[in-house]
Amino acid sequence: MRSTRFNNSSSQWLGDMTVWLRANAGDNGEQMTRLRRNLRWAREEELTERQREMVGLYYDQGMTMPQIAERLGVSRSTVSRTLRRARDRLYRFLRYTL
């Protein structure tokens, strides 16, 4: 086997590696479909009402944390902590459903 030397100072090898990985990766369409379905269900069943509201405003409507804080009358820190807890809950649930 021929040894290929990569110039680490150039990002060319990173682009080549990315192309190779995409070409040789398996199809994960079924897994993504299952993940989307489970995510919708988890948002409804696993999150508190407050977490669902903030997740919807942040991810679905694209509001910033300060905008959400102003709209709901809470601090930006409260929004940040609530979103973090929601992501943690969703992660814990979803990692076992795939």
Side-chain angles (χ1 to χ4, degrees), residues 47 51 54-55 58-59 65 76-92:
L47 299 181
Q51 288 171 338
M54 288 190 191
V55 165
Y58 188 74
Y59 290 105
M65 287 186 198
R76 185 206 167 283
S77 162
T78 299
V79 173
S80 177
R81 283 192 312 268
T82 303
L83 287 171
R84 178 77 235 163
R85 288 183 188 125
R87 282 190 299 267
D88 289 346
R89 276 184 139 177
L90 291 173
Y91 173 77
R92 279 193 307 273

Side-chain angles (χ1 to χ4, degrees), residues 2-3 16 19 21-22 32 37 45-46 50 52 54 58 65 77 86 96:
R2 188 172 162 201
S3 176
D16 292 342
V19 170
L21 286 172
R22 283 188 190 150
M32 291 302 293
R37 182 186 64 234
E45 298 296 324
E46 294 295 316
R50 186 68 151 199
R52 270 194 302 276
M54 288 190 191
Y58 188 74
M65 287 186 198
S77 162
Y96 293 112

Side-chain angles (χ1 to χ4, degrees), residues 25-36:
D27 181 27
N28 65 348
E30 183 180 322
Q31 187 178 20
M32 291 302 293
T33 300
R34 195 168 49 246
L35 177 62
R36 285 186 198 99

Side-chain angles (χ1 to χ4, degrees), residues 6-77:
F6 294 107
N7 179 356
N8 289 337
S9 64
S10 169
S11 63
Q12 177 64 38
W13 73 270
L14 185 59
D16 292 342
M17 184 62 74
T18 302
V19 170
W20 182 87
L21 286 172
R22 283 188 190 150
N24 291 300
D27 181 27
N28 65 348
E30 183 180 322
Q31 187 178 20
M32 291 302 293
T33 300
R34 195 168 49 246
L35 177 62
R36 285 186 198 99
R37 182 186 64 234
N38 290 344
L39 180 58
R40 282 190 300 272
W41 186 83
R43 281 179 69 170
E44 292 301 315
E45 298 296 324
E46 294 295 316
L47 299 181
T48 66
E49 183 61 38
R50 186 68 151 199
Q51 288 171 338
R52 270 194 302 276
E53 181 180 20
M54 288 190 191
V55 165
L57 292 172
Y58 188 74
Y59 290 105
D60 299 337
Q61 295 184 22
M63 293 177 71
T64 64
M65 287 186 198
Q67 290 171 333
I68 296 169
E70 184 177 329
R71 179 173 179 170
L72 299 178
V74 297
S75 71
R76 185 206 167 283
S77 162

